[in-house]
PDB file of all heavy atoms in Angstrom:
ATOM      1  N   ARG A 474     239.228 -54.677  23.639  1.00  0.00           N
ATOM      2  CA  ARG A 474     239.096 -55.036  22.216  1.00  0.00           C
ATOM      3  C   ARG A 474     237.724 -55.570  21.872  1.00  0.00           C
ATOM      4  O   ARG A 474     237.549 -55.935  20.678  1.00  0.00           O
ATOM      5  CB  ARG A 474     240.231 -56.072  21.874  1.00  0.00           C
ATOM      6  CG  ARG A 474     241.602 -55.517  22.128  1.00  0.00           C
ATOM      7  CD  ARG A 474     242.604 -56.700  21.848  1.00  0.00           C
ATOM      8  NE  ARG A 474     242.553 -57.218  20.474  1.00  0.00           N
ATOM      9  CZ  ARG A 474     242.941 -58.372  20.100  1.00  0.00           C
ATOM     10  NH1 ARG A 474     243.478 -59.265  21.030  1.00  0.00           N
ATOM     11  NH2 ARG A 474     242.797 -58.792  18.858  1.00  0.00           N
ATOM     12  N   TYR A 475     236.916 -55.668  22.833  1.00  0.00           N
ATOM     13  CA  TYR A 475     235.579 -56.334  22.633  1.00  0.00           C
ATOM     14  C   TYR A 475     234.746 -55.740  21.515  1.00  0.00           C
ATOM     15  O   TYR A 475     234.258 -56.391  20.668  1.00  0.00           O
ATOM     16  CB  TYR A 475     234.826 -56.325  23.936  1.00  0.00           C
ATOM     17  CG  TYR A 475     233.407 -56.857  23.849  1.00  0.00           C
ATOM     18  CD1 TYR A 475     233.212 -58.221  23.666  1.00  0.00           C
ATOM     19  CD2 TYR A 475     232.277 -56.005  23.967  1.00  0.00           C
ATOM     20  CE1 TYR A 475     231.938 -58.764  23.603  1.00  0.00           C
ATOM     21  CE2 TYR A 475     230.984 -56.593  23.897  1.00  0.00           C
ATOM     22  CZ  TYR A 475     230.847 -57.911  23.662  1.00  0.00           C
ATOM     23  OH  TYR A 475     229.598 -58.427  23.610  1.00  0.00           O
ATOM     24  N   SER A 476     234.627 -54.343  21.560  1.00  0.00           N
ATOM     25  CA  SER A 476     233.730 -53.729  20.538  1.00  0.00           C
ATOM     26  C   SER A 476     234.352 -53.789  19.163  1.00  0.00           C
ATOM     27  O   SER A 476     233.586 -53.815  18.154  1.00  0.00           O
ATOM     28  CB  SER A 476     233.514 -52.272  20.951  1.00  0.00           C
ATOM     29  OG  SER A 476     234.757 -51.583  21.033  1.00  0.00           O
ATOM     30  N   ILE A 477     235.619 -53.992  19.094  1.00  0.00           N
ATOM     31  CA  ILE A 477     236.295 -54.066  17.759  1.00  0.00           C
ATOM     32  C   ILE A 477     236.181 -55.452  17.163  1.00  0.00           C
ATOM     33  O   ILE A 477     235.749 -55.620  16.019  1.00  0.00           O
ATOM     34  CB  ILE A 477     237.801 -53.670  17.836  1.00  0.00           C
ATOM     35  CG1 ILE A 477     237.915 -52.251  18.365  1.00  0.00           C
ATOM     36  CG2 ILE A 477     238.501 -53.870  16.512  1.00  0.00           C
ATOM     37  CD1 ILE A 477     239.447 -51.800  18.658  1.00  0.00           C
ATOM     38  N   ILE A 478     236.412 -56.433  18.040  1.00  0.00           N
ATOM     39  CA  ILE A 478     236.353 -57.866  17.570  1.00  0.00           C
ATOM     40  C   ILE A 478     234.865 -58.336  17.379  1.00  0.00           C
ATOM     41  O   ILE A 478     234.535 -58.863  16.330  1.00  0.00           O
ATOM     42  CB  ILE A 478     237.074 -58.850  18.619  1.00  0.00           C
ATOM     43  CG1 ILE A 478     238.561 -58.484  18.725  1.00  0.00           C
ATOM     44  CG2 ILE A 478     236.893 -60.293  18.207  1.00  0.00           C
ATOM     45  CD1 ILE A 478     239.324 -59.239  19.726  1.00  0.00           C
ATOM     46  N   MET A 479     234.041 -58.071  18.374  1.00  0.00           N
ATOM     47  CA  MET A 479     232.671 -58.501  18.249  1.00  0.00           C
ATOM     48  C   MET A 479     231.874 -57.438  17.577  1.00  0.00           C
ATOM     49  O   MET A 479     230.833 -56.877  18.112  1.00  0.00           O
ATOM     50  CB  MET A 479     232.138 -58.772  19.694  1.00  0.00           C
ATOM     51  CG  MET A 479     232.795 -59.932  20.345  1.00  0.00           C
ATOM     52  SD  MET A 479     232.669 -61.501  19.443  1.00  0.00           S
ATOM     53  CE  MET A 479     230.957 -61.854  19.584  1.00  0.00           C
ATOM     54  N   ASN A 480     232.252 -57.121  16.370  1.00  0.00           N
ATOM     55  CA  ASN A 480     231.507 -56.130  15.533  1.00  0.00           C
ATOM     56  C   ASN A 480     230.219 -56.822  15.012  1.00  0.00           C
ATOM     57  O   ASN A 480     229.937 -57.964  15.025  1.00  0.00           O
ATOM     58  CB  ASN A 480     232.380 -55.591  14.446  1.00  0.00           C
ATOM     59  CG  ASN A 480     232.928 -56.685  13.538  1.00  0.00           C
ATOM     60  OD1 ASN A 480     232.147 -57.343  12.775  1.00  0.00           O
ATOM     61  ND2 ASN A 480     234.196 -56.886  13.618  1.00  0.00           N
ATOM     62  N   ARG A 481     229.316 -55.952  14.392  1.00  0.00           N
ATOM     63  CA  ARG A 481     228.031 -56.418  13.973  1.00  0.00           C
ATOM     64  C   ARG A 481     228.217 -57.496  12.917  1.00  0.00           C
ATOM     65  O   ARG A 481     227.443 -58.478  12.846  1.00  0.00           O
ATOM     66  CB  ARG A 481     227.238 -55.223  13.335  1.00  0.00           C
ATOM     67  CG  ARG A 481     225.826 -55.668  12.885  1.00  0.00           C
ATOM     68  CD  ARG A 481     224.976 -54.431  12.583  1.00  0.00           C
ATOM     69  NE  ARG A 481     223.662 -54.748  12.163  1.00  0.00           N
ATOM     70  CZ  ARG A 481     222.688 -55.078  12.984  1.00  0.00           C
ATOM     71  NH1 ARG A 481     222.879 -55.035  14.295  1.00  0.00           N
ATOM     72  NH2 ARG A 481     221.489 -55.403  12.581  1.00  0.00           N
ATOM     73  N   MET A 482     229.144 -57.303  11.903  1.00  0.00           N
ATOM     74  CA  MET A 482     229.347 -58.285  10.862  1.00  0.00           C
ATOM     75  C   MET A 482     229.643 -59.655  11.461  1.00  0.00           C
ATOM     76  O   MET A 482     229.106 -60.685  11.033  1.00  0.00           O
ATOM     77  CB  MET A 482     230.358 -57.778   9.912  1.00  0.00           C
ATOM     78  CG  MET A 482     230.688 -58.752   8.788  1.00  0.00           C
ATOM     79  SD  MET A 482     229.213 -58.935   7.698  1.00  0.00           S
ATOM     80  CE  MET A 482     229.117 -57.334   6.934  1.00  0.00           C
ATOM     81  N   LEU A 483     230.624 -59.699  12.380  1.00  0.00           N
ATOM     82  CA  LEU A 483     231.055 -60.996  12.962  1.00  0.00           C
ATOM     83  C   LEU A 483     229.810 -61.658  13.752  1.00  0.00           C
ATOM     84  O   LEU A 483     229.594 -62.879  13.639  1.00  0.00           O
ATOM     85  CB  LEU A 483     232.171 -60.815  13.957  1.00  0.00           C
ATOM     86  CG  LEU A 483     232.733 -62.069  14.634  1.00  0.00           C
ATOM     87  CD1 LEU A 483     233.229 -62.992  13.550  1.00  0.00           C
ATOM     88  CD2 LEU A 483     233.770 -61.733  15.667  1.00  0.00           C
ATOM     89  N   CYS A 484     229.050 -60.896  14.454  1.00  0.00           N
ATOM     90  CA  CYS A 484     227.959 -61.442  15.169  1.00  0.00           C
ATOM     91  C   CYS A 484     226.917 -62.053  14.199  1.00  0.00           C
ATOM     92  O   CYS A 484     226.395 -63.100  14.502  1.00  0.00           O
ATOM     93  CB  CYS A 484     227.201 -60.323  15.979  1.00  0.00           C
ATOM     94  SG  CYS A 484     228.247 -59.724  17.389  1.00  0.00           S
ATOM     95  N   VAL A 485     226.577 -61.346  13.108  1.00  0.00           N
ATOM     96  CA  VAL A 485     225.627 -61.862  12.154  1.00  0.00           C
ATOM     97  C   VAL A 485     226.188 -63.097  11.579  1.00  0.00           C
ATOM     98  O   VAL A 485     225.459 -64.098  11.372  1.00  0.00           O
ATOM     99  CB  VAL A 485     225.362 -60.805  11.056  1.00  0.00           C
ATOM    100  CG1 VAL A 485     224.513 -61.420   9.909  1.00  0.00           C
ATOM    101  CG2 VAL A 485     224.568 -59.645  11.667  1.00  0.00           C
ATOM    102  N   GLN A 486     227.496 -63.183  11.215  1.00  0.00           N
ATOM    103  CA  GLN A 486     228.055 -64.378  10.621  1.00  0.00           C
ATOM    104  C   GLN A 486     228.072 -65.553  11.565  1.00  0.00           C
ATOM    105  O   GLN A 486     227.692 -66.701  11.220  1.00  0.00           O
ATOM    106  CB  GLN A 486     229.533 -64.091  10.203  1.00  0.00           C
ATOM    107  CG  GLN A 486     229.634 -63.170   9.040  1.00  0.00           C
ATOM    108  CD  GLN A 486     231.142 -62.813   8.666  1.00  0.00           C
ATOM    109  OE1 GLN A 486     232.006 -63.060   9.505  1.00  0.00           O
ATOM    110  NE2 GLN A 486     231.332 -62.192   7.508  1.00  0.00           N
ATOM    111  N   MET A 487     228.401 -65.368  12.855  1.00  0.00           N
ATOM    112  CA  MET A 487     228.409 -66.420  13.842  1.00  0.00           C
ATOM    113  C   MET A 487     226.987 -66.944  13.993  1.00  0.00           C
ATOM    114  O   MET A 487     226.752 -68.156  14.149  1.00  0.00           O
ATOM    115  CB  MET A 487     228.982 -65.933  15.151  1.00  0.00           C
ATOM    116  CG  MET A 487     230.429 -65.539  15.074  1.00  0.00           C
ATOM    117  SD  MET A 487     231.078 -64.795  16.557  1.00  0.00           S
ATOM    118  CE  MET A 487     231.213 -66.242  17.616  1.00  0.00           C
ATOM    119  N   ALA A 488     225.957 -66.062  14.139  1.00  0.00           N
ATOM    120  CA  ALA A 488     224.607 -66.502  14.273  1.00  0.00           C
ATOM    121  C   ALA A 488     224.102 -67.267  13.010  1.00  0.00           C
ATOM    122  O   ALA A 488     223.493 -68.344  13.212  1.00  0.00           O
ATOM    123  CB  ALA A 488     223.731 -65.317  14.585  1.00  0.00           C
ATOM    124  N   SER A 489     224.448 -66.721  11.885  1.00  0.00           N
ATOM    125  CA  SER A 489     224.031 -67.352  10.610  1.00  0.00           C
ATOM    126  C   SER A 489     224.672 -68.690  10.492  1.00  0.00           C
ATOM    127  O   SER A 489     223.876 -69.687  10.090  1.00  0.00           O
ATOM    128  CB  SER A 489     224.442 -66.453   9.413  1.00  0.00           C
ATOM    129  OG  SER A 489     223.917 -65.173   9.470  1.00  0.00           O
ATOM    130  N   TRP A 490     225.878 -68.872  10.713  1.00  0.00           N
ATOM    131  CA  TRP A 490     226.566 -70.220  10.648  1.00  0.00           C
ATOM    132  C   TRP A 490     225.923 -71.236  11.703  1.00  0.00           C
ATOM    133  O   TRP A 490     225.905 -72.432  11.344  1.00  0.00           O
ATOM    134  CB  TRP A 490     228.039 -70.072  10.748  1.00  0.00           C
ATOM    135  CG  TRP A 490     228.710 -69.754   9.462  1.00  0.00           C
ATOM    136  CD1 TRP A 490     229.343 -68.591   9.217  1.00  0.00           C
ATOM    137  CD2 TRP A 490     228.739 -70.547   8.243  1.00  0.00           C
ATOM    138  NE1 TRP A 490     229.783 -68.548   7.969  1.00  0.00           N
ATOM    139  CE2 TRP A 490     229.526 -69.755   7.358  1.00  0.00           C
ATOM    140  CE3 TRP A 490     228.384 -71.802   7.962  1.00  0.00           C
ATOM    141  CZ2 TRP A 490     229.714 -70.172   6.070  1.00  0.00           C
ATOM    142  CZ3 TRP A 490     228.606 -72.306   6.679  1.00  0.00           C
ATOM    143  CH2 TRP A 490     229.319 -71.457   5.750  1.00  0.00           C
ATOM    144  N   SER A 491     225.551 -70.708  12.811  1.00  0.00           N
ATOM    145  CA  SER A 491     224.887 -71.630  13.844  1.00  0.00           C
ATOM    146  C   SER A 491     223.574 -72.110  13.234  1.00  0.00           C
ATOM    147  O   SER A 491     223.335 -73.373  13.281  1.00  0.00           O
ATOM    148  CB  SER A 491     224.612 -70.825  15.069  1.00  0.00           C
ATOM    149  OG  SER A 491     225.797 -70.338  15.704  1.00  0.00           O
ATOM    150  N   TRP A 492     222.830 -71.306  12.576  1.00  0.00           N
ATOM    151  CA  TRP A 492     221.544 -71.745  11.970  1.00  0.00           C
ATOM    152  C   TRP A 492     221.818 -72.651  10.769  1.00  0.00           C
ATOM    153  O   TRP A 492     221.074 -73.636  10.612  1.00  0.00           O
ATOM    154  CB  TRP A 492     220.694 -70.482  11.494  1.00  0.00           C
ATOM    155  CG  TRP A 492     220.039 -69.699  12.626  1.00  0.00           C
ATOM    156  CD1 TRP A 492     220.550 -68.705  13.385  1.00  0.00           C
ATOM    157  CD2 TRP A 492     218.732 -69.998  13.140  1.00  0.00           C
ATOM    158  NE1 TRP A 492     219.754 -68.255  14.333  1.00  0.00           N
ATOM    159  CE2 TRP A 492     218.590 -69.026  14.126  1.00  0.00           C
ATOM    160  CE3 TRP A 492     217.738 -70.804  12.836  1.00  0.00           C
ATOM    161  CZ2 TRP A 492     217.377 -68.910  14.895  1.00  0.00           C
ATOM    162  CZ3 TRP A 492     216.566 -70.714  13.572  1.00  0.00           C
ATOM    163  CH2 TRP A 492     216.389 -69.812  14.595  1.00  0.00           C
ATOM    164  N   ILE A 493     222.803 -72.233   9.936  1.00  0.00           N
ATOM    165  CA  ILE A 493     223.095 -73.105   8.774  1.00  0.00           C
ATOM    166  C   ILE A 493     223.560 -74.509   9.168  1.00  0.00           C
ATOM    167  O   ILE A 493     223.076 -75.508   8.599  1.00  0.00           O
ATOM    168  CB  ILE A 493     224.151 -72.386   7.832  1.00  0.00           C
ATOM    169  CG1 ILE A 493     223.512 -71.082   7.278  1.00  0.00           C
ATOM    170  CG2 ILE A 493     224.564 -73.341   6.742  1.00  0.00           C
ATOM    171  CD1 ILE A 493     224.511 -70.206   6.560  1.00  0.00           C
ATOM    172  N   ILE A 494     224.515 -74.655  10.030  1.00  0.00           N
ATOM    173  CA  ILE A 494     225.096 -75.880  10.409  1.00  0.00           C
ATOM    174  C   ILE A 494     224.023 -76.704  11.096  1.00  0.00           C
ATOM    175  O   ILE A 494     223.923 -77.952  10.861  1.00  0.00           O
ATOM    176  CB  ILE A 494     226.351 -75.642  11.332  1.00  0.00           C
ATOM    177  CG1 ILE A 494     227.435 -75.085  10.633  1.00  0.00           C
ATOM    178  CG2 ILE A 494     226.748 -77.058  11.854  1.00  0.00           C
ATOM    179  CD1 ILE A 494     228.592 -74.651  11.441  1.00  0.00           C
ATOM    180  N   GLY A 495     223.248 -76.073  11.962  1.00  0.00           N
ATOM    181  CA  GLY A 495     222.187 -76.831  12.695  1.00  0.00           C
ATOM    182  C   GLY A 495     221.181 -77.346  11.759  1.00  0.00           C
ATOM    183  O   GLY A 495     220.660 -78.485  11.849  1.00  0.00           O
ATOM    184  N   SER A 496     220.753 -76.616  10.667  1.00  0.00           N
ATOM    185  CA  SER A 496     219.766 -77.025   9.740  1.00  0.00           C
ATOM    186  C   SER A 496     220.339 -78.078   8.818  1.00  0.00           C
ATOM    187  O   SER A 496     219.631 -79.084   8.545  1.00  0.00           O
ATOM    188  CB  SER A 496     219.404 -75.808   8.790  1.00  0.00           C
ATOM    189  OG  SER A 496     218.751 -74.749   9.543  1.00  0.00           O
ATOM    190  N   LEU A 497     221.513 -77.985   8.376  1.00  0.00           N
ATOM    191  CA  LEU A 497     222.183 -79.026   7.470  1.00  0.00           C
ATOM    192  C   LEU A 497     222.259 -80.377   8.248  1.00  0.00           C
ATOM    193  O   LEU A 497     222.052 -81.440   7.720  1.00  0.00           O
ATOM    194  CB  LEU A 497     223.566 -78.581   7.029  1.00  0.00           C
ATOM    195  CG  LEU A 497     223.519 -77.400   5.963  1.00  0.00           C
ATOM    196  CD1 LEU A 497     224.974 -77.017   5.648  1.00  0.00           C
ATOM    197  CD2 LEU A 497     222.793 -77.757   4.728  1.00  0.00           C
ATOM    198  N   THR A 498     222.716 -80.275   9.501  1.00  0.00           N
ATOM    199  CA  THR A 498     222.822 -81.470  10.344  1.00  0.00           C
ATOM    200  C   THR A 498     221.443 -82.195  10.456  1.00  0.00           C
ATOM    201  O   THR A 498     221.376 -83.480  10.322  1.00  0.00           O
ATOM    202  CB  THR A 498     223.376 -81.169  11.792  1.00  0.00           C
ATOM    203  OG1 THR A 498     224.648 -80.477  11.628  1.00  0.00           O
ATOM    204  CG2 THR A 498     223.480 -82.405  12.533  1.00  0.00           C
ATOM    205  N   SER A 499     220.402 -81.428  10.731  1.00  0.00           N
ATOM    206  CA  SER A 499     219.081 -82.034  10.830  1.00  0.00           C
ATOM    207  C   SER A 499     218.559 -82.582   9.529  1.00  0.00           C
ATOM    208  O   SER A 499     218.032 -83.687   9.515  1.00  0.00           O
ATOM    209  CB  SER A 499     218.124 -80.899  11.309  1.00  0.00           C
ATOM    210  OG  SER A 499     216.814 -81.364  11.245  1.00  0.00           O
ATOM    211  N   ILE A 500     218.785 -81.917   8.390  1.00  0.00           N
ATOM    212  CA  ILE A 500     218.285 -82.408   7.082  1.00  0.00           C
ATOM    213  C   ILE A 500     218.948 -83.684   6.806  1.00  0.00           C
ATOM    214  O   ILE A 500     218.356 -84.703   6.367  1.00  0.00           O
ATOM    215  CB  ILE A 500     218.652 -81.342   5.986  1.00  0.00           C
ATOM    216  CG1 ILE A 500     217.720 -80.083   6.202  1.00  0.00           C
ATOM    217  CG2 ILE A 500     218.399 -81.904   4.560  1.00  0.00           C
ATOM    218  CD1 ILE A 500     218.076 -78.938   5.294  1.00  0.00           C
ATOM    219  N   VAL A 501     220.285 -83.834   6.890  1.00  0.00           N
ATOM    220  CA  VAL A 501     221.011 -85.085   6.686  1.00  0.00           C
ATOM    221  C   VAL A 501     220.410 -86.229   7.553  1.00  0.00           C
ATOM    222  O   VAL A 501     220.081 -87.304   6.959  1.00  0.00           O
ATOM    223  CB  VAL A 501     222.516 -84.898   6.890  1.00  0.00           C
ATOM    224  CG1 VAL A 501     223.228 -86.262   6.824  1.00  0.00           C
ATOM    225  CG2 VAL A 501     223.038 -83.962   5.845  1.00  0.00           C
ATOM    226  N   GLN A 502     220.290 -85.973   8.853  1.00  0.00           N
ATOM    227  CA  GLN A 502     219.864 -87.095   9.695  1.00  0.00           C
ATOM    228  C   GLN A 502     218.331 -87.388   9.433  1.00  0.00           C
ATOM    229  O   GLN A 502     218.034 -88.685   9.458  1.00  0.00           O
ATOM    230  CB  GLN A 502     220.067 -86.725  11.148  1.00  0.00           C
ATOM    231  CG  GLN A 502     221.415 -86.518  11.578  1.00  0.00           C
ATOM    232  CD  GLN A 502     221.604 -86.534  13.046  1.00  0.00           C
ATOM    233  OE1 GLN A 502     221.432 -87.556  13.747  1.00  0.00           O
ATOM    234  NE2 GLN A 502     221.904 -85.374  13.643  1.00  0.00           N
TER     235      GLN A 502
END
Side-chain angles (χ1 to χ4, degrees):
R474 301 175 58 200
Y475 176 68
S476 59
I477 299 173
I478 296 174
M479 296 300 294
N480 56 70
R481 183 172 181 81
M482 181 62 70
L483 180 62
C484 292
V485 171
Q486 289 177 346
M487 293 174 77
S489 299
W490 277 111
S491 297
W492 285 89
I493 292 170
I494 294 172
S496 299
L497 290 176
T498 302
S499 173
I500 291 170
V501 170
Q502 294 198 72

